[in-house]
Amino acid sequence: MTTSTPSGTATERLDALGFTLPRVGEGGKYVEHRSLGSSVYVSGQLPFKDGVLLGQGIVGRDVETGAARDLARHAVLNCLAVAADAVGGLDRVRIVQMLVFVASTPDLGQQSRVADAASDLLIEVLGENGRHARTAIGVAGLPLNSPVEIQMVCTAL
């Protein structure tokens, strides 16, 4: 199977998908990212848009898997904003690893499907630089009753 590299810059591809990077806010008791060498560790991001948490609840009980996939895309968009801010622009970001937490019922079994939406967005925007190692895990609860939280490690190109 061959994969083609999407045309245009990462920013142009993001725009074509109808997304823009949100402004990176200030952390309270922690920082949004920490750099060590060329590695950037992005703090867990929730699916906020314009300061509003886009959903609450447990996937498989209060939140449908499809809605959780949309929330995962917003959470990873927030991760990308932090990463781009840390390395000097979206076109300089390479994703190394992503950890996706899904607040879910014990029998859901769809955590990877939720995480796939975030993975797909990274690859659509960054091409090969968006391919990453990944873990998707179900948890009993997340901050602010968010259905999804995403943490990532990236590096600067």
Side-chain angles (χ1 to χ4, degrees):
M1 178 175 158
T2 57
T3 58
S4 61
T5 302
S7 61
T9 67
T11 302
E12 291 167 346
R13 291 188 295 269
L14 187 69
D15 289 342
L17 291 169
F19 292 107
T20 56
L21 289 182
R23 196 177 124 257
V24 176
E26 302 263 336
K29 298 182 184 270
Y30 61 91
V31 294
E32 292 293 327
H33 74 276
R34 176 70 69 189
S35 298
L36 181 62
S38 65
S39 294
V40 177
Y41 299 83
V42 176
S43 294
Q45 301 292 313
L46 302 178
F48 277 104
K49 182 176 183 182
D50 299 325
V52 175
L53 185 62
L54 296 176
Q56 291 184 307
I58 303 296
V59 181
R61 185 183 72 202
D62 314 309
V63 178
E64 297 286 329
T65 301
R69 287 172 52 82
D70 289 337
L71 295 171
R73 289 172 69 92
H74 281 283
V76 84
L77 186 65
N78 292 330
C79 287
L80 276 177
V82 173
D85 186 60
V87 302
L90 187 58
D91 293 301
R92 298 197 62 223
V93 174
R94 176 182 290 151
I95 309 304
V96 176
Q97 181 183 35
M98 182 170 65
L99 178 56
V100 181
F101 300 95
V102 180
S104 56
T105 59
D107 61 341
L108 179 70
Q110 295 291 311
Q111 292 84 359
S112 287
R113 183 160 155 60
V114 172
D116 285 345
S119 293
D120 291 345
L121 181 62
L122 291 175
I123 294 166
E124 288 177 80
V125 172
L126 300 174
E128 285 302 310
N129 291 327
R131 293 200 184 279
H132 52 276
R134 185 184 87 190
T135 300
I137 186 170
V139 297
L142 290 167
L144 304 177
N145 197 26
S146 176
V148 179
E149 182 174 7
I150 297 179
Q151 174 186 336
M152 70 172 38
V153 178
C154 62
T155 187
L157 293 174

